[in-house]
Amino acid sequence: MKPDVTEAVTTAIRSVLHDTGRDTKPVASTMLLAADIGLDSLDLAQTIVLLERSLGIDPFRSASTSRTVRTVSDLVSIYDHALASPPT
Amino acid sequence: MPTSALPTQTLLDAHIEGRLAFAISEVARQAPDRLAIIAQAGSDSRRTIDYRTLAVAIAALEAELDATRPVGIVARASRVESLVVIAAACGRQHVHVALLPYDSRDLVGEHNDWLEVDDSLSLPAAPTGGRMRLEFETVPPEVTVATSGTSGPPKLVDHSWDSLLAAARLAEHWHGLGWLLVYDATRWAGMQVWIQAMLTGGRLVVPASREPDTVARALADEAVAILPATPTLLRRLLTSGDAAVLEKASGSLERITLGGEGADAGLLERAHTVFPKAKITQVYATTELGEVYRVADGRPGFPSNWLGKALPGGARLSLRSDGELLVRLSRDTAEVATGDLVERRGDRYEFTGRRSDVIVVGGAKVYPKRVEEVIRGVPGVVDVRIYGLPSGITGELVAGEIVLAEPLADGATPESIRAAVLAICRESLEPHSVPRILDIVSQIAMTAAGKTPRRAR
């Protein structure tokens, strides 16, 4: 069954905001991770660990992931892409 | 309690390599009915053996060694009594012996032509073409042990019988006591315990597992006097062991010897409260260096004025600029970097962890022990482990596990305690030190050496 990546990414970001004591505002796919949501590199690192737990992969561990991640949908598409490609 | 009739001087007169076998035989002759090793493998199969059995087994193995003269013996035994017999017999017969824990057995490569002895204590026929010990060989026999692998993979280290027996306390008041063995019997720390017990006619009590209740019951049922443990093992015992059983155990416990990790003030206070009669000694030793010093004042770390001075054992301590502890065992030996980091706090140097334990988050260092100390103060948390989780973004990320009190205080929920832990960390720590992953677990993981693991499993 194909996991709902958008849902997983949204949940992870909300968990990060909650754990760091910030308001868990609604997360939309067009939002900028840094400017709109306020995620720094540590927050992003935490998000990726949470996503590894829920989706079972970490596309950032392999050097091939060099795409810029600016928006929520950037993040979603990286995971969509990683889940679609066969594991190497 | 009748003391062992083995006079210290008689033991010291025995050749050092044969001292272990000598002590076992002597005590067997004088008090054949006393228990030597009390192991509880399984719930109902309690095996008891006396010194006579050990002495007879040593003699039998020695006879075989006499006939074959192998280059060395690799002990493949899993029972403590077998390891004792193999080590003692090899020592007296001047045969090199390697005592290897299970996780180090693939390191045996260089000992390919050595013979293996298992729990059956019988020697296989020497391989044809295998090197036999030569008559004129003058290299003193050594004992090969493996490092615990806390930092990096385990490696083999050769020790002389001198260095192995150096730390044993032989004075009369150490004789005939009950010792608890919670360490792996094939590791340096465990070997120190059974060597000590055997040299002084003591009882070695081996619990069936390291579960806090099992350990507590072994302490209480066998009236154990000496508990050697790591701070991680002791903390588990104090936080999760049955309170009534611990109270019973406190009646006989005379001494707690901590080693392997630094102990914090909270643990030392707690141990003193639960075991008020027990003296608490902290031993600083490594598999490579052996024992460097001991502190018995019940405070963490060591006095700051020890730096640069010759300590009772002859060792000198100094610091590298980054806080790593350096040890020079004697004037004739080189300075050794220990990998342990210390920090000045008042009139003490306290351990902040292993250099290899340091978690590097986006270039900033995080000392896991420091984070653990902050979290241990949160009501409802009984134990914690902080470790580094690899991250493609920041190199590593601080992660943690907490064990909650049972039952929780009124009104508290696991989620409220977890939130309180994170809030206190945010208040007291730099942002990169605050755990980003925090799981509630039923028990903190432990390494084979009884220490807290510092990397993701």
Side-chain angles (χ1 to χ4, degrees):
Chain A
M1 196 184 77
K2 191 171 172 291
D4 186 338
V5 175
T6 308
E7 173 67 25
V9 168
T10 308
T11 306
I13 291 173
R14 290 169 64 92
S15 294
V16 171
L17 293 173
H18 177 258
D19 272 4
T20 49
R22 287 173 278 184
D23 291 337
T24 52
K25 50 194 163 196
V27 174
S29 63
T30 53
M31 283 175 139
L32 291 165
L33 294 170
D36 295 338
I37 305 177
L39 298 188
D40 61 15
S41 62
L42 270 174
D43 297 327
L44 190 58
Q46 181 182 356
T47 308
I48 287 159
V49 173
L50 294 176
L51 285 170
E52 184 178 12
R53 289 183 168 193
S54 60
L55 299 174
I57 54 162
D58 178 358
F60 293 87
R61 201 164 290 167
S62 66
S64 60
T65 306
S66 54
R67 289 183 51 180
T68 347
V69 190
R70 294 182 64 245
T71 63
V72 173
S73 62
D74 285 347
L75 205 51
V76 170
S77 74
I78 284 174
Y79 280 89
D80 269 334
H81 183 77
L83 284 166
S85 57
T88 47
Chain B
M1 181 187 288
T3 55
S4 146
L6 180 65
T8 306
Q9 196 51 50
T10 314
L11 184 62
L12 290 174
D13 288 343
H15 200 263
I16 190 139
E17 289 120 33
R19 214 166 271 177
L20 189 56
F22 176 80
I24 293 168
S25 304
E26 265 311 282
V27 183
R29 205 168 53 76
Q30 290 160 6
D33 297 326
R34 290 193 47 182
L35 300 178
I37 298 176
I38 300 162
Q40 288 142 308
S43 56
D44 58 351
S45 66
R46 170 168 165 174
R47 283 175 296 121
T48 58
I49 42 170
D50 65 17
Y51 284 94
R52 198 165 27 185
T53 322
L54 285 177
V56 169
I58 290 168
L61 189 56
E62 279 178 345
E64 282 196 80
L65 290 172
D66 232 2
T68 54
R69 312 303 295 162
V71 176
I73 293 288
V74 176
R76 290 272 181 190
S78 55
R79 287 179 5 209
V80 179
E81 51 270 41
S82 312
L83 291 166
V84 171
V85 165
I86 295 167
C90 286
R92 194 149 72 186
Q93 291 304 102
H94 292 255
V95 171
H96 207 127
V97 62
L99 301 168
L100 304 183
Y102 275 97
D103 64 2
S104 305
R105 296 208 164 160
D106 52 349
L107 294 176
V108 87
E110 57 187 287
H111 303 123
N112 255 342
D113 51 355
W114 292 25
L115 298 181
E116 287 182 13
V117 178
D118 60 17
D119 285 308
S120 70
L121 296 183
S122 60
L123 220 52
T128 44
R131 274 199 296 138
M132 292 292 110
R133 176 182 283 276
L134 301 173
E135 285 296 332
F136 50 81
E137 189 165 350
T138 55
V139 182
E142 290 178 325
V143 183
T144 303
V145 298
T147 61
S148 64
T150 316
S151 46
K155 52 181 191 283
L156 298 184
V157 180
D158 284 343
H159 279 281
S160 65
W161 278 96
D162 262 325
S163 65
L164 202 62
L165 270 51
R169 297 294 196 259
L170 301 177
E172 294 285 330
H173 66 269
W174 289 98
H175 287 210
L177 302 172
W179 296 77
L180 197 79
L181 180 67
V182 277
Y183 293 134
D184 184 331
T186 57
R187 291 178 193 279
W188 175 267
M191 292 171 70
Q192 291 297 316
V193 178
W194 58 255
I195 285 171
Q196 170 74 50
M198 294 298 113
L199 287 180
T200 50
R203 280 174 303 125
L204 186 71
V205 178
V206 189
S209 77
R210 289 168 166 181
E211 287 307 305
D213 278 340
T214 309
V215 174
R217 211 157 295 126
L219 286 172
D221 292 352
E222 303 300 337
V224 168
I226 321 265
L227 168 64
T230 57
T232 296
L233 281 161
L234 179 64
R235 186 176 294 115
R236 263 209 199 184
L237 176 69
L238 296 177
T239 52
S240 312
D242 185 300
V245 182
L246 287 177
E247 195 184 337
K248 188 182 168 210
S250 74
S252 60
L253 198 65
E254 294 172 16
R255 187 178 289 267
I256 300 169
T257 311
L258 293 175
E261 299 166 309
D264 57 83
L267 176 67
L268 293 168
E269 277 160 29
R270 178 106 203 235
H272 182 67
T273 309
V274 177
F275 299 118
K277 271 178 49 190
K279 257 187 144 166
I280 303 174
T281 309
Q282 299 170 73
V283 180
Y284 183 73
T286 70
T287 309
E288 291 92 338
L289 293 169
E291 182 173 323
V292 176
Y293 71 77
R294 30 183 82 202
V295 185
D297 59 10
R299 295 175 58 198
F302 58 87
S304 56
N305 62 9
W306 278 16
L307 278 196
K309 259 197 224 162
L311 301 181
R316 275 173 199 273
L317 309 178
S318 55
L319 287 190
R320 218 176 4 217
S321 57
D322 66 349
E324 181 172 358
L325 185 66
L326 306 172
V327 174
R328 186 192 291 274
L329 279 182
S330 70
R331 254 174 228 291
D332 314 325
T333 55
E335 201 164 52
V336 176
T338 60
D340 288 314
L341 300 173
V342 298
E343 184 189 71
R344 178 95 184 238
R345 286 193 193 174
D347 61 347
R348 305 290 278 196
Y349 277 101
E350 294 185 17
F351 289 89
T352 49
R354 303 270 311 153
R355 174 197 278 285
S356 55
D357 292 348
V358 174
I359 305 168
V360 182
V361 181
K365 289 179 179 173
V366 179
Y367 298 93
K369 264 192 73 180
R370 181 94 41 83
V371 182
E372 287 173 357
E373 281 173 33
V374 169
I375 296 177
R376 275 210 183 93
V378 178
V381 175
V382 296
D383 207 354
V384 54
R385 165 174 96 105
I386 292 296
Y387 62 98
L389 206 56
S391 162
I393 307 288
T394 54
E396 281 185 294
L397 207 56
V398 177
E401 293 175 337
I402 50 173
V403 178
L404 302 183
E406 255 179 76
L408 291 173
D410 280 346
T413 64
E415 191 44 48
S416 73
I417 292 173
R418 183 178 176 280
V421 166
L422 290 173
I424 286 172
C425 286
R426 278 200 301 274
E427 278 167 30
S428 351
L429 300 167
E430 293 143 330
H432 62 271
S433 299
V434 176
R436 285 303 182 134
I437 299 295
L438 186 65
D439 296 314
I440 296 171
V441 298
S442 59
Q443 199 166 64
I444 295 298
M446 196 165 41
T447 68
K451 302 181 190 181
T452 301
R454 296 298 182 187
R455 289 290 171 262
R457 279 160 296 152

